[in-house]
Amino acid sequence: NDVEGSTTTINGSVTVADAPLAAVTGGFTVAATEGVDSGLQTLATFQDPGGAELLGGNPAPASYAATVDWGDGTAQAPDITAGTIAYDSPTATFSVQGNHVYAVCGTYTLTATITHGALPALAAVSSATVADATPTIDLTANATSINAASTYVLTIPPPMDTGTAGGDVPLQYFI
C-alpha cells in the first residue's frame, strides 16, 4: 500500500537449498585383528545445520548415505561397503559406522564418504590398526593309548592362521 491506497502484488517463486553438512569429522581409529570381523565401530561424524531429517527417530534412508573405503583392497570382502548411519539426539550428531574383516595385520587409511541428497559428497579420513592373529595348531592324537616305554610319533600339522594372506609361519615349536 502506498499513501493513496494503491496495492501492488508481485508473484514469484523462491528456491531454498539445503544447507551443506557441517562438522564432518574423521580421525577415529578402528581396532581389529586380522581375519576377524572388527565389529561395528564409528568411522566419522557429521551434523546437518539444515535440521536432521529423521524417520521414526532414525536418519531417513533417502536423505543420508555413506560408503566406506577400507583401504586394503581385499578380494574376499568388498573394499568399499555401505556405512551405517546413526543419529544421537542430545548432540544432534550423526555417526557413520561400519565393520570389516582385514586379511593382513598393519595400519590402513580408511575413508568414509557421506552424501546428503543432491549436495556434494564429503569425506572423512580415519585409520585402522589391525593386530596380528595368533596362529594355532590342532594337536589331535591319532592313538587312544600309548604303552609305557614305547615310542610315539607326533605329527605336527601346519599352523592355522586366521589371516588370509599366507599366514604366519612358526619359527619353533615347544612341546
Side-chain angles (χ1 to χ4, degrees):
N1 279 340
D2 64 11
V3 288
E4 297 173 357
S6 298
T7 303
T8 302
T9 302
I10 300 173
N11 291 319
S13 63
V14 174
T15 302
V16 178
D18 202 354
L21 299 177
V24 176
T25 306
F28 294 89
T29 301
V30 170
T33 300
E34 67 177 352
V36 179
D37 190 299
S38 67
L40 197 62
Q41 298 190 41
T42 298
L43 314 171
T45 58
F46 65 93
Q47 293 181 324
D48 186 351
E53 296 166 27
L54 304 175
L55 182 63
N58 296 312
S63 296
Y64 307 97
T67 57
V68 181
D69 181 341
W70 295 94
D72 61 350
T74 56
Q76 100 239 14
D79 187 37
I80 298 177
T81 60
T84 300
I85 299 178
Y87 181 69
D88 181 54
S89 261
T91 62
T93 301
F94 292 87
S95 62
V96 176
Q97 300 171 330
N99 59 301
H100 189 64
V101 176
Y102 283 94
V104 180
C105 61
T107 302
Y108 299 90
T109 299
L110 59 93
T111 304
T113 302
I114 304 156
T115 57
H116 177 45
L119 294 172
L122 298 172
V125 176
S126 290
S127 64
T129 301
V130 182
D132 191 16
T134 303
T136 59
I137 294 180
D138 183 11
L139 294 177
T140 304
N142 55 4
T144 55
S145 64
I146 302 170
N147 294 326
S150 62
T151 302
Y152 178 78
V153 176
L154 175 65
T155 303
I156 299 176
M160 293 175 283
D161 187 348
T162 57
T164 57
D168 297 317
V169 178
L171 299 176
Q172 15 181 318
Y173 294 97
F174 295 96
I175 299 174

